Amino acid sequence: MEERKKKRKRSLLSCKAVSLILAAATLFSIIAVIPDEAKSAEYSFGGTGITEITITDDACRQASKNKEFHWIRFQPKKTGSITIAASNASSVAKDTYGNIVLCNASKKVIDNTADRYETAGNEARRTVTYGVKAGSAYYFRVESSGGVKLRAAVSSIKKNAGKTFKKAKLLAHGKTVKGVVVAGDKTADWYKINLTKSKKIEITCSAKTNGWNGTNVADGIRVTFCDSTGTMFTKNAFGILSRNQIQYKMTYFLKAPGSKKKYNLKRGVYYIRVERFNKASSGEYTVKWNMI
């Protein structure tokens, strides 16, 4: 009798074990067939050339509901810039809008405010450009009001500038040089001008950069004209290039105290300093100078 009870108990335990195994297998099979739309999407931009990705309406609504962001990984093969243009990909809205934030490999913000983007149908209303370093891993944190297509164009830019006043690179008269301000880089780019005769000069510069939050320009690239000691020529001898002001011309001359009359600059050596406007700024630029 006792032996019969023991066999029955072992049989019940065996049945329970089988039931648990079957339940676990069923749960696993349910998880395995969860549709991709319900999982967290992974996005990435290529390290060179042009990449396009689309974030759907459903993905945007899911991210908004969970108070999360879309993350796009990016690792450039060469130092240069990445320009992102947003166009509408929503099936329910004529236009979309949102923010892009540049982050490091740990998804921590690189001293940046959110860069606003807006779309006008299938056209990008504004682009945003960041300066990036070869081999460094970055993430773009994206939030959007609806479906959006992001087109990223990566450019390689060779460093031609000196990193200190004493190591400034000579910039020939009339030559256009292209440079990059890498995100998070505190150093400035220095160029040297050799003015061979007494003349007025004009500095022409352009930039593709970041720094528009929907209300005002927060960041940009600063270009400063300096005297032979590397000091700013006058108190206002600089220009700020931003997402709204992408081109700028500056004319420099001498002026007698209390007079409006313009005189030529003295022949000699002068300098141009290019740097981030504040710690959130980055992007690419061009600069040249001419005698006028």
Side-chain angles (χ1 to χ4, degrees), residues 57 86-97 117-125 144-149:
D57 284 322
S87 59
N88 187 32
S90 174
S91 59
V92 295
K94 292 182 179 179
D95 303 306
T96 53
Y97 57 88
Y117 68 81
E118 296 176 350
T119 68
N122 294 326
E123 299 296 324
R125 188 170 294 177
S144 182
S145 64
V148 62
K149 178 186 287 185

Side-chain angles (χ1 to χ4, degrees), residues 66-122:
N66 294 336
K67 297 182 179 180
E68 294 175 347
F69 301 102
H70 305 289
W71 293 96
I72 306 173
R73 193 177 187 278
F74 171 62
Q75 188 166 6
K77 292 187 177 180
K78 294 184 178 181
T79 294
S81 68
I82 178 170
T83 298
I84 302 173
S87 59
N88 187 32
S90 174
S91 59
V92 295
K94 292 182 179 179
D95 303 306
T96 53
Y97 57 88
N99 295 304
I100 301 174
V101 178
L102 180 63
C103 302
N104 63 19
S106 301
K107 296 184 177 180
K108 292 184 178 179
V109 175
I110 304 178
D111 294 324
N112 199 5
T113 54
D115 290 308
R116 177 83 165 186
Y117 68 81
E118 296 176 350
T119 68
N122 294 326

Side-chain angles (χ1 to χ4, degrees), residues 253-263:
F253 47 83
L254 294 173
K255 189 168 69 173
S259 172
K260 294 183 179 180
K261 188 174 180 179
K262 299 177 182 179
Y263 297 91

Side-chain angles (χ1 to χ4, degrees), residues 4 22 42 51 74 87 103 120 133 147 153 168 191 211 213 231 241 275 282:
R4 188 180 299 174
L22 289 173
E42 290 286 340
T51 307
F74 171 62
S87 59
C103 302
K133 185 178 180 181
Y191 300 96
N213 59 16
T231 303
L241 296 158
E275 60 197 327
S282 69

Side-chain angles (χ1 to χ4, degrees), residues 3 5 30 54 71 128 147 171 182 186 198 203 211-212 261:
E3 184 63 29
K5 287 182 179 180
I30 291 171
T54 299
W71 293 96
V128 58
L171 181 56
V182 173
K186 299 177 182 179
S198 180
I203 297 174
W212 181 71
K261 188 174 180 179

